[in-house]
Amino acid sequence: MVVIRKSETGRIPEWGVYIFPVLTVIFAILYLADENLYRSLIMEDSSIEWLTFAFLIAAGFLSLTVAVKIKRSHDYLHWFFILFFGFNLLAGLEEISWGQRVFEVETIGVFHKYSDQNEMNLHNTFQGLVHIKTKHIALLVLFFYGSILPWLMRNRDLRQEKFPLQQFIIPPVFLRLGFTLGAILMLDFQTGYEEELGEFFFSICFFIMMLWNLELFKHGYFHTDNYSSISKRSPSLSE
């Protein structure tokens, strides 16, 4: 039997709970005190956008680290962490339009024709083609994934399910507030640029989520003995 208590994973759950309301208060105070500075921080190519990029890339490589450690220690591929690495890498590069403005690349071809912001990235081109805002899709998907699903699955151990469901990783419950606030910010109140803050919050959630799973690995959570289809044994896990 493998028993993992929150106290064994350091301070990740504690600061994972408090960081989001603290950031929300900071940005609210900044908006009230100096709206021009607030706007300059959250617009395109701002420091918030680059911080989002940094957290996404960091989350991606943390995810790859977990996948490599599982493979080396337990000799199986954990598909979620491999795919999550790819997702974060793609999301990070999309966030900065693949470095277009850094390298001063002109928007051409299909991107110039369909991108609703005249940028060379997939999500704005998709918006121009189908006239559906990708931020609304992201809002709904990530709200369900990070805010609703952890509560629905709180008493269920997916490792005892059939593959590939058993390798599906659900965010820890303590990140529900971060995902919820991120989804609310994606609605773009007050200035129309709060989407950047929502993406920032989501990127922090992904980063903390991978730190959490790295700690779980250190405490044996991904050992083959804990998976019904990898090992004949099916011990219980208390979290």
Side-chain angles (χ1 to χ4, degrees):
M1 177 184 294
V2 178
V3 179
I4 300 176
R5 301 179 179 87
K6 286 186 177 181
S7 60
E8 295 176 340
T9 58
R11 299 179 63 85
I12 294 175
E14 183 176 338
W15 58 264
V17 169
Y18 294 114
I19 187 172
F20 299 103
V22 169
L23 285 173
T24 301
V25 170
I26 289 174
F27 282 111
I29 292 174
L30 186 59
Y31 171 75
L32 294 173
D34 191 339
E35 186 175 339
N36 289 330
L37 177 59
Y38 169 82
R39 286 175 177 269
S40 70
L41 289 175
I42 67 173
M43 294 182 70
E44 292 283 342
D45 290 327
S46 67
S47 56
I48 292 300
E49 183 173 72
W50 282 99
L51 281 171
T52 300
F53 167 76
F55 274 112
L56 288 171
I57 297 301
F61 279 99
L62 272 175
S63 185
L64 184 61
T65 298
V66 175
V68 170
K69 286 181 175 293
I70 291 173
K71 176 61 177 175
R72 288 178 176 175
S73 298
H74 307 310
D75 196 29
Y76 73 92
L77 290 174
H78 200 296
W79 65 267
F80 180 92
F81 293 113
I82 296 171
L83 292 178
F84 200 66
F85 161 70
F87 165 78
N88 278 276
L89 190 64
L90 175 63
L93 292 172
E94 280 282 294
E95 180 68 14
I96 60 169
S97 295
W98 300 78
Q100 178 186 6
R101 290 179 292 276
V102 175
F103 300 107
E104 298 182 349
V105 177
E106 183 182 356
T107 304
I108 59 175
V110 67
F111 299 106
H112 176 70
K113 184 177 181 180
Y114 292 108
S115 177
D116 63 351
Q117 293 185 5
N118 198 35
E119 296 178 339
M120 293 180 64
N121 57 47
L122 299 175
H123 67 278
N124 282 327
T125 305
F126 173 82
Q127 289 178 170
L129 282 168
V130 302
H131 306 292
I132 298 176
K133 293 288 187 180
T134 53
K135 70 177 181 180
H136 295 154
I137 299 174
L139 183 162
L140 293 173
V141 171
L142 291 177
F143 177 72
F144 177 78
Y145 176 64
S147 303
I148 304 299
L149 198 57
W151 180 80
L152 293 176
M153 305 297 289
R154 64 193 184 280
N155 295 320
R156 188 170 175 180
D157 190 348
L158 291 181
R159 293 167 304 164
Q160 306 308 313
E161 303 290 337
K162 294 181 179 179
F163 184 86
L165 183 60
Q166 66 175 202
Q167 287 196 19
F168 185 68
I169 299 298
I170 298 174
V173 173
F174 66 81
L175 285 179
R176 289 181 65 199
L177 179 60
F179 277 99
T180 301
L181 289 173
I184 293 172
L185 288 166
M186 293 290 282
L187 295 173
D188 270 343
F189 303 119
Q190 296 283 325
T191 66
Y193 292 99
E194 279 68 27
E195 173 188 354
E196 298 296 331
L197 285 178
E199 293 170 349
F200 179 49
F201 276 37
F202 286 143
S203 69
I204 297 174
C205 285
F206 295 156
F207 178 72
I208 296 175
M209 177 178 159
M210 288 302 102
L211 284 179
W212 170 258
N213 279 279
L214 184 59
E215 288 297 316
L216 292 184
F217 166 80
K218 293 176 181 178
H219 294 282
Y221 183 87
F222 299 105
H223 195 283
T224 52
D225 285 352
N226 295 323
Y227 285 85
S228 59
S229 66
I230 297 177
S231 171
K232 292 182 179 179
R233 289 180 56 193
S234 297
S236 58
L237 176 78
S238 175
E239 297 184 52

